[in-house]
Amino acid sequence: DADVTQTPRNRITKTGKRIMLECSQTKGHDRMYWYRQDPGLGLRLIYYSFDVKDINKGEISDGYSVSRQAQAKFSLSLESAIPNQTALYFCATSDPDVGGVGEQYFGPGTRLTVT
Amino acid sequence: AQKITQTQPGMFVQEKEAVTLDCTYDTSDQSYGLFWYKQPSSGEMIFLIYQGSYDEQNATEGRYSLNFQKARKSANLVISASQLGDSAMYFCAMSRINFGNEKLTFGTGTRLTIIP
Protein backbone atom coordinates (compact mmCIF):
# COMPACT_ATOMS: atom_id res chain seq x y z
CA ASP A 1 0.00 0.00 0.00
CA ALA A 2 1.11 3.55 -0.73
CA ASP A 3 2.56 5.53 2.15
CA VAL A 4 0.71 8.72 1.19
CA THR A 5 -2.77 8.44 -0.26
CA GLN A 6 -5.08 11.08 -1.63
CA THR A 7 -8.81 10.97 -2.24
CA PRO A 8 -10.38 11.55 -4.63
CA ARG A 9 -7.88 11.04 -7.44
CA ASN A 10 -10.00 12.94 -9.90
CA ARG A 11 -12.86 15.37 -9.31
CA ILE A 12 -14.95 17.61 -11.49
CA THR A 13 -17.00 20.20 -9.67
CA LYS A 14 -18.95 23.35 -10.45
CA THR A 15 -18.11 26.93 -9.60
CA GLY A 16 -19.27 27.85 -6.12
CA LYS A 17 -19.33 24.32 -4.74
CA ARG A 18 -17.47 23.36 -1.58
CA ILE A 19 -14.99 20.55 -2.02
CA MET A 20 -12.63 18.70 0.27
CA LEU A 21 -9.49 16.86 -0.74
CA GLU A 22 -8.19 14.34 1.75
CA CYS A 23 -4.72 13.08 2.47
CA SER A 24 -3.67 10.19 4.68
CA GLN A 25 -0.18 8.91 5.44
CA THR A 26 1.23 5.83 7.12
CA LYS A 27 4.82 7.08 7.33
CA GLY A 28 4.39 8.42 10.85
CA HIS A 29 5.62 11.84 9.80
CA ASP A 30 4.65 14.94 11.72
CA ARG A 31 4.92 17.38 8.84
CA MET A 32 2.37 17.52 6.05
CA TYR A 33 1.94 19.84 3.09
CA TRP A 34 -0.48 20.75 0.34
CA TYR A 35 0.77 21.92 -3.06
CA ARG A 36 -0.88 22.76 -6.32
CA GLN A 37 0.72 22.24 -9.72
CA ASP A 38 -0.18 24.33 -12.72
CA PRO A 39 1.35 23.86 -16.17
CA GLY A 40 4.49 25.95 -16.53
CA LEU A 41 4.48 27.04 -12.89
CA GLY A 42 5.86 24.06 -11.04
CA LEU A 43 4.52 23.24 -7.58
CA ARG A 44 3.46 25.96 -5.18
CA LEU A 45 2.88 25.54 -1.46
CA ILE A 46 -0.67 26.17 -0.23
CA TYR A 47 -0.53 25.19 3.47
CA TYR A 48 1.72 23.19 5.73
CA SER A 49 1.41 21.69 9.19
CA PHE A 50 4.14 20.65 11.62
CA ASP A 51 1.75 18.81 13.93
CA VAL A 52 -1.95 18.62 14.71
CA LYS A 53 -1.88 21.96 16.51
CA ASP A 54 0.21 23.79 13.95
CA ILE A 55 -1.11 25.15 10.65
CA ASN A 56 0.77 27.60 8.45
CA LYS A 57 -0.06 29.45 5.27
CA GLY A 58 2.09 28.87 2.27
CA GLU A 59 2.67 30.89 -0.85
CA ILE A 60 -0.88 30.73 -2.23
CA SER A 61 -3.36 30.11 0.61
CA ASP A 62 -6.14 32.49 -0.49
CA GLY A 63 -9.32 30.57 -1.31
CA TYR A 64 -8.21 27.47 0.59
CA SER A 65 -8.45 26.16 4.14
CA VAL A 66 -7.04 23.08 5.82
CA SER A 67 -7.73 20.80 8.73
CA ARG A 68 -5.25 18.51 10.48
CA GLN A 69 -7.54 15.92 12.03
CA ALA A 70 -4.75 13.65 13.26
CA GLN A 71 -1.06 13.11 12.70
CA ALA A 72 -1.94 10.96 9.71
CA LYS A 73 -4.66 13.11 8.13
CA PHE A 74 -4.53 16.52 6.49
CA SER A 75 -7.46 17.84 4.47
CA LEU A 76 -7.64 20.72 2.02
CA SER A 77 -10.92 22.52 1.42
CA LEU A 78 -12.07 24.88 -1.26
CA GLU A 79 -15.00 26.70 0.32
CA SER A 80 -16.32 28.08 -2.95
CA ALA A 81 -14.48 26.64 -5.91
CA ILE A 82 -13.60 28.84 -8.88
CA PRO A 83 -12.29 27.83 -12.33
CA ASN A 84 -8.75 29.10 -11.72
CA GLN A 85 -8.44 26.53 -8.94
CA THR A 86 -8.39 23.86 -11.61
CA ALA A 87 -5.05 22.15 -11.02
CA LEU A 88 -3.25 19.05 -9.85
CA TYR A 89 -3.08 18.98 -6.05
CA PHE A 90 -0.41 17.13 -4.12
CA CYS A 91 -0.16 16.20 -0.49
CA ALA A 92 3.32 15.55 0.91
CA THR A 93 4.91 14.52 4.20
CA SER A 94 8.36 14.84 5.72
CA ASP A 95 10.20 14.23 8.95
CA PRO A 96 13.72 15.69 9.09
CA ASP A 97 14.28 14.21 12.53
CA VAL A 98 14.60 10.63 11.36
CA GLY A 99 18.14 11.07 10.10
CA GLY A 100 17.29 11.76 6.51
CA VAL A 101 17.66 14.95 4.55
CA GLY A 102 14.08 16.00 5.06
CA GLU A 103 12.93 15.07 1.62
CA GLN A 104 9.22 15.27 1.10
CA TYR A 105 7.22 12.21 0.11
CA PHE A 106 4.35 12.96 -2.22
CA GLY A 107 0.96 11.40 -2.69
CA PRO A 108 -0.27 10.46 -6.16
CA GLY A 109 -2.09 13.74 -6.68
CA THR A 110 -5.70 14.81 -7.12
CA ARG A 111 -6.71 16.26 -10.46
CA LEU A 112 -9.39 18.87 -9.79
CA THR A 113 -11.42 20.53 -12.52
CA VAL A 114 -13.75 23.41 -11.70
CA THR A 115 -16.27 24.18 -14.43
CA ALA B 1 13.10 34.85 -0.76
CA GLN B 2 14.28 31.80 -2.57
CA LYS B 3 14.02 31.30 -6.31
CA ILE B 4 14.76 28.35 -8.58
CA THR B 5 15.29 28.77 -12.32
CA GLN B 6 15.16 25.93 -14.81
CA THR B 7 15.81 27.38 -18.26
CA GLN B 8 15.25 24.24 -20.33
CA PRO B 9 11.51 23.66 -20.86
CA GLY B 10 12.22 20.51 -22.86
CA MET B 11 15.11 18.30 -23.88
CA PHE B 12 15.48 15.40 -26.27
CA VAL B 13 18.33 12.96 -25.66
CA GLN B 14 19.37 9.76 -27.38
CA GLU B 15 19.10 6.62 -25.26
CA LYS B 16 22.33 5.68 -23.45
CA GLU B 17 23.71 9.20 -23.64
CA ALA B 18 24.34 11.30 -20.55
CA VAL B 19 22.12 14.30 -19.96
CA THR B 20 22.50 17.42 -17.84
CA LEU B 21 19.46 19.29 -16.58
CA ASP B 22 20.21 22.84 -15.53
CA CYS B 23 19.15 24.45 -12.28
CA THR B 24 20.21 27.79 -10.86
CA TYR B 25 19.03 29.19 -7.58
CA ASP B 26 18.95 32.41 -5.66
CA THR B 27 18.91 32.71 -1.90
CA SER B 28 20.36 34.85 0.85
CA ASP B 29 20.47 31.91 3.26
CA GLN B 30 23.75 30.30 4.24
CA SER B 31 22.22 26.93 5.00
CA TYR B 32 19.97 25.39 2.38
CA GLY B 33 19.18 22.16 0.67
CA LEU B 34 18.75 21.39 -3.00
CA PHE B 35 16.52 18.60 -4.27
CA TRP B 36 15.64 17.00 -7.57
CA TYR B 37 12.32 15.30 -8.16
CA LYS B 38 11.11 13.26 -11.12
CA GLN B 39 7.51 13.32 -12.30
CA PRO B 40 6.65 10.60 -14.82
CA SER B 41 3.56 10.82 -16.99
CA SER B 42 1.64 8.98 -14.29
CA GLY B 43 1.93 12.12 -12.20
CA GLU B 44 3.60 11.12 -8.95
CA MET B 45 6.58 13.03 -7.60
CA ILE B 46 9.65 10.89 -6.96
CA PHE B 47 12.58 12.14 -4.88
CA LEU B 48 15.89 11.58 -6.68
CA ILE B 49 18.77 13.32 -4.95
CA TYR B 50 19.72 15.91 -2.34
CA GLN B 51 22.64 18.30 -1.85
CA GLY B 52 23.22 20.32 1.30
CA SER B 53 24.84 23.72 0.94
CA TYR B 54 27.71 22.70 3.21
CA ASP B 55 28.33 19.35 1.56
CA GLU B 56 31.78 19.48 0.01
CA GLN B 57 31.27 16.56 -2.32
CA ASN B 58 28.71 16.35 -5.08
CA ALA B 59 25.83 14.03 -4.25
CA THR B 60 25.41 10.82 -6.20
CA GLU B 61 22.60 8.25 -6.24
CA GLY B 62 23.08 5.48 -8.74
CA ARG B 63 22.90 6.99 -12.23
CA TYR B 64 22.04 10.42 -10.80
CA SER B 65 24.60 12.95 -9.71
CA LEU B 66 24.27 16.55 -8.72
CA ASN B 67 26.85 18.97 -10.08
CA PHE B 68 26.88 21.55 -7.29
CA GLN B 69 28.71 24.80 -7.99
CA LYS B 70 28.05 26.99 -4.98
CA ALA B 71 29.78 30.12 -6.25
CA ARG B 72 27.73 30.00 -9.43
CA LYS B 73 24.58 29.02 -7.51
CA SER B 74 23.93 26.10 -9.77
CA ALA B 75 22.80 22.57 -8.97
CA ASN B 76 22.60 20.68 -12.23
CA LEU B 77 21.31 17.11 -12.37
CA VAL B 78 23.36 14.68 -14.42
CA ILE B 79 21.83 11.41 -15.54
CA SER B 80 24.34 8.94 -16.91
CA ALA B 81 23.49 6.30 -19.51
CA SER B 82 19.94 7.51 -20.04
CA GLN B 83 17.12 4.99 -20.36
CA LEU B 84 13.66 5.20 -21.91
CA GLY B 85 12.19 5.18 -18.42
CA ASP B 86 13.96 8.44 -17.68
CA SER B 87 11.45 10.28 -19.87
CA ALA B 88 9.63 12.54 -17.43
CA MET B 89 9.39 16.03 -15.99
CA TYR B 90 12.24 16.92 -13.66
CA PHE B 91 11.94 19.55 -10.96
CA CYS B 92 14.69 21.26 -9.04
CA ALA B 93 13.73 22.55 -5.59
CA MET B 94 15.33 24.17 -2.58
CA SER B 95 14.63 24.78 1.09
CA ARG B 96 16.06 26.43 4.15
CA ILE B 97 17.71 23.74 6.26
CA ASN B 98 17.30 25.51 9.57
CA PHE B 99 13.56 25.54 9.14
CA GLY B 100 13.25 21.84 8.44
CA ASN B 101 12.58 22.12 4.76
CA GLU B 102 9.00 23.18 5.26
CA LYS B 103 9.11 25.72 2.47
CA LEU B 104 10.19 23.79 -0.56
CA THR B 105 10.46 26.15 -3.53
CA PHE B 106 10.21 24.49 -6.93
CA GLY B 107 11.40 25.46 -10.37
CA THR B 108 9.12 25.21 -13.39
CA GLY B 109 10.59 21.93 -14.52
CA THR B 110 12.26 20.40 -17.57
CA ARG B 111 10.52 17.80 -19.70
CA LEU B 112 13.07 15.17 -20.70
CA THR B 113 12.34 12.84 -23.59
CA ILE B 114 14.65 9.91 -24.26
CA ILE B 115 14.75 8.86 -27.90
CA PRO B 116 15.31 5.16 -28.68
Side-chain angles (χ1 to χ4, degrees):
Chain A
D1 288 342
D3 294 321
V4 184
T5 58
Q6 293 182 233
T7 55
R9 294 293 312 277
N10 290 280
R11 180 73 182 266
I12 300 174
T13 192
K14 292 184 183 298
T15 298
K17 293 291 187 181
R18 182 179 188 277
I19 184 169
M20 177 181 288
L21 309 183
E22 299 186 344
C23 176
S24 294
Q25 53 113 347
T26 58
K27 298 189 74 67
H29 289 170
D30 287 324
R31 299 183 177 192
M32 298 187 74
Y33 313 80
W34 275 105
Y35 292 89
R36 67 176 278 175
Q37 182 180 19
D38 298 278
L41 292 179
L43 277 75
R44 293 180 292 166
L45 183 63
I46 306 172
Y47 271 96
Y48 61 100
S49 169
F50 284 173
D51 61 43
V52 293
K53 298 180 181 179
D54 178 83
I55 302 290
N56 304 279
K57 292 183 177 180
E59 180 185 354
I60 52 164
S61 58
D62 288 348
Y64 302 94
S65 63
V66 291
S67 172
R68 185 81 184 267
Q69 301 94 325
Q71 185 202 38
K73 296 185 181 297
F74 192 35
S75 300
L76 176 72
S77 293
L78 288 67
E79 296 300 327
S80 180
I82 56 177
N84 74 2
Q85 292 178 312
T86 293
L88 183 57
Y89 290 84
F90 285 102
C91 173
T93 75
S94 74
D95 192 344
D97 296 328
V98 294
V101 298
E103 69 268 27
Q104 295 185 12
Y105 296 86
F106 285 79
T110 294
R111 188 165 298 279
L112 176 66
T113 303
V114 183
T115 62
Chain B
Q2 299 180 325
K3 184 177 180 181
I4 293 283
T5 301
Q6 294 181 255
T7 57
Q8 305 155 310
M11 289 187 68
F12 291 85
V13 173
Q14 204 74 37
E15 188 180 8
K16 299 189 177 121
E17 290 185 352
V19 56
T20 298
L21 304 181
D22 294 340
C23 172
T24 58
Y25 60 92
D26 189 24
T27 182
S28 57
D29 296 314
Q30 295 301 311
S31 298
Y32 51 88
L34 295 154
F35 301 78
W36 277 92
Y37 282 83
K38 173 184 179 181
Q39 186 179 38
S41 57
S42 51
E44 72 270 30
M45 297 288 288
I46 302 167
F47 167 69
L48 295 178
I49 196 167
Y50 167 85
Q51 179 86 40
S53 58
Y54 288 111
D55 293 340
E56 294 186 352
Q57 291 193 326
N58 288 340
T60 60
E61 289 287 347
R63 294 187 299 112
Y64 304 108
S65 60
L66 200 153
N67 184 1
F68 181 48
Q69 298 187 45
K70 193 171 183 178
R72 299 179 64 180
K73 293 189 174 180
S74 74
N76 298 340
L77 177 70
V78 180
I79 305 174
S80 63
S82 58
Q83 303 171 357
L84 295 178
D86 294 331
S87 293
M89 282 288 288
Y90 288 82
F91 292 95
C92 181
M94 74 179 302
S95 67
R96 303 166 71 186
I97 291 180
N98 290 339
F99 289 83
N101 300 334
E102 78 281 4
K103 290 190 177 182
L104 203 58
T105 300
F106 284 83
T108 54
T110 296
R111 182 172 298 280
L112 176 65
T113 302
I114 306 300
I115 305 167

